[in-house]
C-alpha cells in the first residue's frame, strides 16, 4: 500500500478532487442538492453514474469531517465490496492513492484523516443495530430483500454529528418505503435516466440493452427511472405482493418445498428460471428464493440441486416441453455426478405444459389476489416480471414467472393428506417406516461412502 499522504495532501486532494468532479466531470444532477435535507434520493436508470455519484459524495463527507463514521449499505456483502468499494466507479477508484485503506476482513475503509466507512449488507439488517454514523451511502435500495427492517436499523444509528445525512442511489421501484420517501419534505429527490450518460456507455450496452427494452414497461423503469404503479392487465398487482409479504420468522411449518425450474430457450439466451416455493400447513404458498439467471445446462442442474439441499426441498419441478427435453438428461447426469450411480433416481417431476402460458399462470394470479402467496422478503426481479407482464400483450411469459408457476401449481395439485408424506425430513421424525426419498437416499449413500459404514 502507498504511504499515507500528509494532512496538506489530504486537503489539496479534497479541493482538487472536488474541483474536478464538480467543475468538469459531474453532471449537475450528480451533485448533492442545495438546501436543508436529511435524505438525498437519487432515482436513476441503469448506467446513469449512480455509483460514481455515491462514492464521490461519501468521500466528500469523510474528508470534510475528520474522524467521522460513515455507513456503506448494499443489497449483499459482495455488492458492497464489488461495486461500492472496489468497483470501477467505487470509493477506492475515486480516492487519492494512499488516502484510503480497505480492510475486507474488518469490512471497513479507513481514511488518512481518521474517518472510517463501514460496509454492511442489507441481507443482515441486525448488523446495523448498534453502530452509530454521521452519514450513509445506500446503494440500490429497491433491491434490498429486507428493506424495511434494514432501513429501520440504519435510522436508529444515524445519530452522530449536528446533521446526519443519507445518500440513496437506486433504480426506482414502487415500493412502500420509496413512496414514503418521495412524500417526505425532508427528502431531496433527483431523477436521472440512462440516456443522460449514454456517451460514456459501451456501444454493446446500447445495442443489447437499450434496443431491447427501450419503450417497454421494464425500460421505463430501468432506463427512464420512472416509478411505475400497477399496470392494467398485468398478471399480479404489486399491492397484492406487498400486502402478503412476510418475514422469515413469520413463515409457518412448511409441509412441502420444491424448486421450480424453467429452462432457458436456446435461441435468445434467456434466463433460466429457478424459484423455490413452500406449501404451508395453512394451505398458503411461500416464495423462499429466486435464483434465476443465465446459466449453461450443467450450471442450471447444479444450481437446482444446490437449492434443493439448501432449502430441504423434495423435488425439482421442471418443464420439459417446447424442445427442452434435454434438461432431464442433464439433471439425471449431474445427479449421478454429485451422488454416485447408486443414489437412486434424480428427484425430478416433469411438467408437460399443454396449456398456454396465460392459462397456466391465471390460477396462480388468483392465489395472489386472495392473499395466499407470500413472498418471504423481497425478490425485485421476479416481482417486476409479475407486475409488468401483460398476458394479453405478450404471450411469452418471462422465465422467472414460469418457474414460479411450475412450483406453485405442483403444490396446488396435492391435497393435504398426500403432501404430508412428501418430505423425507418430516417423515424421519415420525414413528413408522416411510419410503426413503431420493434426496435422503443420496445423502445416506454419500455418508456411507465417506465413512465406510455398512448399508
Amino acid at each position: 500500500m502507498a504511504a499515507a499522504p500528509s494532512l496538506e495532501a489530504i486537503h489539496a486532494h479534497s479541493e482538487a478532487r472536488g474541483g474536478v468532479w464538480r467543475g468538469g466531470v459531474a453532471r449537475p444532477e450528480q451533485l448533492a442538492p442545495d438546501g436543508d435535507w436529511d435524505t438525498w434520493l437519487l432515482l436513476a436508470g441503469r448506467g446513469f453514474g449512480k455509483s460514481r455519484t455515491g462514492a464521490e459524495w461519501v468521500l466528500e463527507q469523510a474528508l470534510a469531517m475528520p474522524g467521522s463514521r460513515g455507513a456503506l449499505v448494499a443489497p449483499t456483502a459482495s455488492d458492497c465490496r464489488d461495486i461500492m468499494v472496489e468497483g470501477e466507479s467505487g470509493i477506492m477508484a475515486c480516492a487519492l492513492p494512499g488516502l484510503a485503506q480497505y480492510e475486507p476482513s474488518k469490512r471497513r475503509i479507513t481514511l488518512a484523516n481518521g474517518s472510517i466507512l463501514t460496509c454492511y449488507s442489507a441481507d443482515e439488517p441486525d448488523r446495523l443495530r448498534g453502530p452509530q454514523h454521521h452519514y450513509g451511502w445506500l446503494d440500490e435500495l429497491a433491491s434490498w430483500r429486507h428493506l424495511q427492517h434494514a432501513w429501520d436499523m440504519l435510522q436508529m444509528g444515524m445519530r452522530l454529528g449536528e446533521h446526519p445525512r443519507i445518500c440513496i442511489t437506486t433504480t426506482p421501484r414502487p415500493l412502500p418505503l420509496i413512496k414514503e420517501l418521495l412524500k417526505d419534505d425532508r427528502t431531496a429527490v433527483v431523477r436521472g435516466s440512462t440516456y443522460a450518460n449514454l456517451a460514456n456507455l459501451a456501444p454493446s450496452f446500447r445495442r443489447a440493452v437499450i434496443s431491447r427494452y427501450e419503450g417497454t414497461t421494464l425500460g421505463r423503469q430501468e432506463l427512464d427511472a420512472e416509478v411505475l404503479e400497477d399496470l392494467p392487465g398485468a398478471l399480479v398487482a404489486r399491492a397484492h405482493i406487498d400486502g402478503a409479504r412476510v418475514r422469515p420468522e413469520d413463515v409457518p411449518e412448511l409441509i412441502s418445498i420444491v424448486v421450480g425450474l424453467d429452462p432457458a430457450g436456446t435461441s435468445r439466451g434467456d434466463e433460466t428460471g429457478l424459484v423455490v416455493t413452500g406449501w404451508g400447513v395453512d394451505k398458503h404458498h411461500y416464495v423462499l428464493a429466486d435464483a434465476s439467471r443465465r446459466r449453461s445446462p450443467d450450471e442450471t442442474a447444479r444450481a437446482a440441486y444446490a437449492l434443493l439441499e439448501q432449502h430441504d426441498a423434495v423435488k425439482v419441478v421442471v418443464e420439459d416441453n417446447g424442445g427442452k427435453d434435454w434438461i432431464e438428461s442433464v439433471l439425471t447426469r449431474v445427479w449421478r455426478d454429485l451422488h454416485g450411480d447408486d443414489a437412486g433416481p434424480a428427484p425430478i417431476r416433469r411438467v408437460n405444459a399443454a396449456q398456454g402460458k396465460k392459462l397456466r399462470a391465471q390460477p396462480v394470479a388468483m392465489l395472489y389476489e386472495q392473499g395466499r402467496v407470500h413472498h418471504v422478503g423481497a425478490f425485485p426481479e421476479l416481482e417486476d416480471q409479475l407486475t409488468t407482464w401483460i398476458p394479453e400483450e405478450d404471450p411469452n411469459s418471462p422465465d422467472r414467472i414460469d418457474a414460479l408457476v411450475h412450483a406453485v401449481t405442483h403444490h396446488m395439485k396435492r391435497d393435504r393428506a398426500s403432501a404430508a408424506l412428501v418430505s423425507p425430513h418430516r417423515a424421519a421424525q415420525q414413528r413408522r417406516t416411510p419410503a426413503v426419498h431420493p434426496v435422503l437416499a443420496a445423502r445416506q449413500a454419500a455418508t456411507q461412502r465417506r465413512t465406510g459404514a455398512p448399508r
Side-chain angles (χ1 to χ4, degrees), residues 1 42 97 123 128 137 151 171-172 178 239 257-258 271 285 317 320 329 357 416 428:
M1 179 182 138
L42 176 57
D123 268 354
L128 289 160
W137 171 25
W151 173 260
T171 304
I178 290 181
I257 301 172
V258 298
E271 289 182 324
H285 302 264
V317 183
D320 65 1
S329 62
K357 294 189 174 184
R416 191 172 196 176

Side-chain angles (χ1 to χ4, degrees), residues 124-160:
E124 301 177 282
D126 287 330
R127 281 188 176 268
L128 289 160
R129 187 190 298 273
Q132 304 178 88
H133 306 99
H134 293 84
Y135 45 85
W137 171 25
L138 284 52
D139 194 42
E140 292 299 349
L141 184 84
S143 294
W144 291 10
R145 184 175 179 188
H146 307 295
L147 175 55
Q148 192 63 54
H149 188 188
W151 173 260
D152 291 342
M153 292 301 98
L154 177 71
Q155 291 297 299
M156 298 294 181
M158 299 301 298
R159 54 180 184 258
L160 295 181

Side-chain angles (χ1 to χ4, degrees), residues 25-198:
V25 176
R27 302 186 303 278
E29 63 270 25
Q30 289 182 288
L31 300 176
D34 296 329
D36 184 24
W37 50 266
D38 296 337
T39 303
W40 172 18
L41 178 59
L42 176 57
L43 298 173
R46 302 289 180 93
F48 167 86
K50 298 187 294 295
S51 298
R52 177 71 186 273
T53 301
E56 292 283 357
W57 180 81
V58 81
L59 272 174
E60 186 175 286
Q61 306 308 303
L63 290 170
M65 292 183 275
S68 60
R69 299 293 183 268
L72 308 174
V73 192
T76 66
S78 59
D79 289 333
C80 192
R81 178 193 66 231
D82 298 341
I83 299 173
M84 302 180 78
V85 178
E86 297 182 327
E88 294 85 349
S89 301
I91 293 170
M92 299 306 292
C94 293
L96 178 77
L99 177 68
Q101 178 184 2
Y102 175 44
E103 300 173 274
S105 62
K106 296 182 179 180
R107 302 180 296 105
R108 72 185 185 191
I109 298 173
T110 303
L111 275 68
N113 68 350
S115 293
I116 295 176
L117 308 175
T118 304
C119 301
Y120 299 96
S121 165
D123 268 354
E124 301 177 282
D126 287 330
R127 281 188 176 268
L128 289 160
R129 187 190 298 273
Q132 304 178 88
H133 306 99
H134 293 84
Y135 45 85
W137 171 25
L138 284 52
D139 194 42
E140 292 299 349
L141 184 84
S143 294
W144 291 10
R145 184 175 179 188
H146 307 295
L147 175 55
Q148 192 63 54
H149 188 188
W151 173 260
D152 291 342
M153 292 301 98
L154 177 71
Q155 291 297 299
M156 298 294 181
M158 299 301 298
R159 54 180 184 258
L160 295 181
E162 296 181 1
H163 188 183
R165 283 182 163 184
I166 291 173
C167 171
I168 300 172
T169 55
T170 187
T171 304
R173 288 189 175 96
L175 304 176
L177 178 58
I178 290 181
K179 291 180 180 180
E180 289 177 15
L181 290 170
L182 288 171
K183 295 177 183 177
D184 192 339
D185 58 7
R186 299 296 301 173
T187 301
V189 181
V190 176
R191 301 176 187 268
S193 75
T194 301
Y195 302 96
N197 195 36
L198 205 57

Side-chain angles (χ1 to χ4, degrees), residues 235-236 260-263 317-324 350-368 373 386 389 391 394-413:
L235 183 67
V236 177
L261 193 163
D262 187 76
V317 183
V318 55
E319 181 181 0
D320 65 1
N321 63 318
K324 299 175 181 177
R350 296 179 61 167
V351 177
N352 192 316
Q355 291 180 313
K357 294 189 174 184
K358 174 184 174 182
L359 291 177
R360 281 182 278 151
Q362 282 178 338
V364 177
M366 291 176 62
L367 289 174
Y368 273 97
V373 180
L386 287 167
W389 179 52
D394 182 5
N396 299 314
S397 56
D399 297 291
R400 294 173 194 260
I401 291 180
D402 288 342
L404 172 72
V405 168
H406 298 333
V408 172
T409 302
H410 172 80
H411 287 138
M412 289 172 64
K413 292 180 178 179

Side-chain angles (χ1 to χ4, degrees), residues 297-373:
D298 189 82
E299 290 172 337
T300 294
R302 293 180 183 278
Y305 291 137
L307 290 169
L308 195 84
E309 179 80 20
Q310 178 183 351
H311 294 276
D312 284 338
V314 296
K315 284 188 183 298
V316 176
V317 183
V318 55
E319 181 181 0
D320 65 1
N321 63 318
K324 299 175 181 177
D325 290 339
W326 57 266
I327 189 63
E328 183 178 8
S329 62
V330 174
L331 285 168
T332 299
R333 174 182 57 78
V334 171
W335 179 257
R336 290 173 178 169
D337 289 346
L338 293 172
H339 301 290
D341 293 336
D342 56 350
I348 306 168
R349 180 175 179 82
R350 296 179 61 167
V351 177
N352 192 316
Q355 291 180 313
K357 294 189 174 184
K358 174 184 174 182
L359 291 177
R360 281 182 278 151
Q362 282 178 338
V364 177
M366 291 176 62
L367 289 174
Y368 273 97
E369 191 171 354
Q370 295 164 358
R372 295 180 59 196
V373 180

